[in-house]
Amino acid sequence: MGEVDQAFIQSIEHRPNLDTIEIEGIPLIDLSLSHTIDINVLVSKIGTACKNWGFFQVINHGVPLELLEKIKVAAKAFFDQPMEEKRKVKRDEVNPMGYYESEHTKNVRDWKEVFDFLIKDPSFLPASPELEDDEMRTLSNQWPENPPQFREVCQEYAREVEKLGYKLLELISLSLGLPSNRFNGYFEDQLSRMRLNHYPPCPCPELALGVGRHKDAGALTIVAQDDVGGLQVKRKSDGVWVPVKPTSNALVINVGDIIQVWSNEAYESVEHRVVVNSERERFSIPIFFFPSHYVMVKPLEELVNEGNPPKYKPYNFGKFNVTRNRSNYKKLEVQNIQISDFKII
Ligand code: OGA
Ligand code: NI
């Protein structure tokens, strides 16, 4: 075991089982609309996938396929550079955007390196997690000089996926019986971010994880992955870890904590993780759709009533985000903030 730093080692109950299993996978949904496909059919497929899995894949999503290819090439070109080049855009507690190689999930180090940037640059966030402190701070992107065209490709990809994000939010809103634009206003000053993930081969894939089990804190996540595989979803029906099968031209979608709260748990944010392997490096590119910092996240009024009272107390998204991010820089001794902290029991 000497090859891997202790910080990466998962406790026994969280170590992955690396035997490959063949089981029913998450739904694959074709987003193309034609005269033969009624939008109601699509809306109902999305609703069922959100309800039963919290995860699905989409094809014919409108993101140009050559751009999907280009962003994977750009990710590889960036991470292939020497560490000293990547460190030029290293993030820190003052500027959390840029390159980083020692992220922790649930206080165990992840076997990966990342590059993060904001979809809306600059973005505004509370300066501290304290509720009574209303000082704000400005976040802005750090772009590397190399590889050439990196910034342009990242931004073009983000623009296209952002359009898909709104389309999915509209379909999800319809599936909850709400007007299609019900969520749009929450994203006016969105804190959404895009991340490039690189998971290098790991000498001890049975002890470490690329990303430890977690739920995404945003509204929705859209992930492009390569053909290596490793993303696993905890199946709602029985808690079995199910691999998300790499599917060419598809994007992976998952519901985050905010949709869980907005929908008053009609849709749940599902736990997922990334398993690594000793042979092949893996790349993935998520975009996390986060609302504006001032949004108070709470069950939507239209979806609650006497028989189905709100299951969550309102929380301020900016403060939640700042509190959550503290654990990315240091190993905290306590469990980080979760939406369950706002649950009404
Ligand atoms: C994440 C995540 C999945 C992947 O970064 O939150 O779940 O496939 N990534 O890399
Ligand atoms: Ni995730």
Side-chain angles (χ1 to χ4, degrees):
M1 204 174 79
E3 302 171 76
V4 167
D5 190 295
Q6 270 295 333
F8 290 104
I9 310 295
Q10 297 283 334
S11 59
I12 290 172
E13 71 272 29
H14 297 308
R15 291 180 195 166
N17 174 357
L18 298 179
D19 302 338
T20 45
I21 34 166
E22 272 306 320
I23 32 180
E24 189 208 336
I26 66 162
L28 179 66
I29 299 178
D30 186 339
L31 288 186
S32 57
L33 276 178
S34 68
H35 56 280
T36 51
I37 306 170
D38 184 353
I39 180 140
N40 295 319
V41 174
L42 178 58
V43 166
S44 127
K45 278 188 193 165
I46 301 257
T48 307
C50 289
K51 201 170 185 56
N52 295 346
W53 286 90
F55 263 82
F56 52 99
Q57 299 203 65
V58 292
I59 49 168
N60 294 317
H61 40 63
V63 178
L65 299 180
E66 58 282 7
L67 199 52
L68 211 52
E69 196 44 49
K70 264 176 131 173
I71 191 69
K72 290 174 190 169
V73 171
K76 177 160 174 56
F78 174 76
F79 290 115
D80 271 352
Q81 299 180 112
M83 188 54 87
E84 83 187 79
E85 197 62 31
K86 295 184 272 193
R87 285 230 171 97
K88 289 182 185 164
V89 288
K90 194 165 161 53
R91 82 183 195 200
D92 52 37
E93 237 163 314
V94 179
N95 191 343
M97 294 300 132
Y99 173 74
Y100 200 57
E101 32 59 46
S102 50
E103 195 164 68
H104 290 76
T105 303
K106 304 217 193 294
N107 301 331
V108 181
R109 191 164 161 195
D110 295 327
W111 193 269
K112 67 170 182 190
E113 48 180 351
V114 306
F115 177 82
D116 288 330
F117 68 93
L118 300 159
I119 303 300
K120 204 163 189 268
D121 185 22
S123 288
F124 302 95
L125 202 64
S128 87
E130 313 311 328
L131 289 180
E132 56 282 0
D133 180 357
D134 49 21
E135 193 185 325
M136 297 296 297
R137 70 178 174 133
T138 307
L139 300 184
S140 41
N141 289 334
Q142 299 195 72
W143 290 105
E145 268 170 44
N146 291 306
Q149 301 298 309
F150 178 76
R151 175 180 184 159
E152 289 73 15
V153 174
C154 284
Q155 289 178 325
E156 194 186 349
Y157 178 79
R159 266 197 305 278
E160 291 297 327
V161 177
E162 191 184 355
K163 288 186 217 159
L164 173 62
Y166 279 111
K167 186 154 127 189
L168 288 163
L169 285 170
E170 288 174 9
L171 291 165
I172 290 171
S173 190
L174 290 170
S175 78
L176 289 165
L178 303 167
S180 62
N181 64 356
R182 178 65 177 84
F183 299 130
N184 294 22
Y186 296 133
F187 294 88
E188 228 148 82
D189 295 300
Q190 58 176 312
L191 284 169
S192 303
R193 56 204 55 195
M194 175 161 145
R195 165 167 284 184
L196 307 178
N197 279 312
H198 175 221
Y199 303 97
C202 174
C204 296
E206 64 288 351
L207 299 176
L209 287 168
V211 186
R213 82 210 138 86
H214 68 282
K215 299 180 183 193
D216 292 350
L220 194 72
T221 307
I222 301 184
V223 188
Q225 63 167 340
D226 62 16
D227 61 352
V228 174
L231 174 57
Q232 298 183 335
V233 176
K234 195 168 182 179
R235 186 162 56 192
K236 278 182 71 173
S237 56
D238 55 10
V240 169
W241 287 102
V242 176
V244 179
K245 197 173 153 219
T247 304
S248 54
N249 303 335
L251 290 165
V252 181
I253 315 297
N254 68 286
V255 162
D257 289 345
I258 294 181
I259 286 190
Q260 174 167 332
V261 174
W262 279 341
S263 73
N264 206 29
E265 288 185 1
Y267 300 157
E268 281 171 84
S269 169
V270 170
E271 214 160 39
H272 53 286
R273 67 182 185 186
V274 173
V275 171
V276 282
N277 73 82
S278 56
E279 271 130 49
R280 291 184 68 192
E281 62 179 350
R282 174 175 183 264
F283 296 93
S284 73
I285 303 126
I287 293 195
F288 303 100
F289 289 90
F290 286 0
S292 320
H293 72 83
Y294 45 79
V295 168
M296 290 301 291
V297 183
K298 58 176 189 198
L300 298 177
E301 268 150 38
E302 304 93 304
L303 299 180
V304 298
N305 52 48
E306 246 168 73
N308 179 23
K311 296 189 164 83
Y312 293 89
K313 292 179 270 194
Y315 66 90
N316 173 286
F317 182 67
K319 292 288 181 190
F320 181 94
N321 195 258
V322 171
T323 311
R324 168 70 71 100
N325 285 346
R326 279 189 311 179
S327 76
N328 292 345
Y329 300 92
K330 31 188 168 302
K331 202 169 139 92
L332 299 176
E333 292 312 316
V334 291
Q335 158 105 315
N336 203 357
I337 190 171
Q338 306 289 329
I339 50 161
S340 53
D341 298 339
F342 300 95
K343 180 113 183 175
I344 299 170
I345 330 146

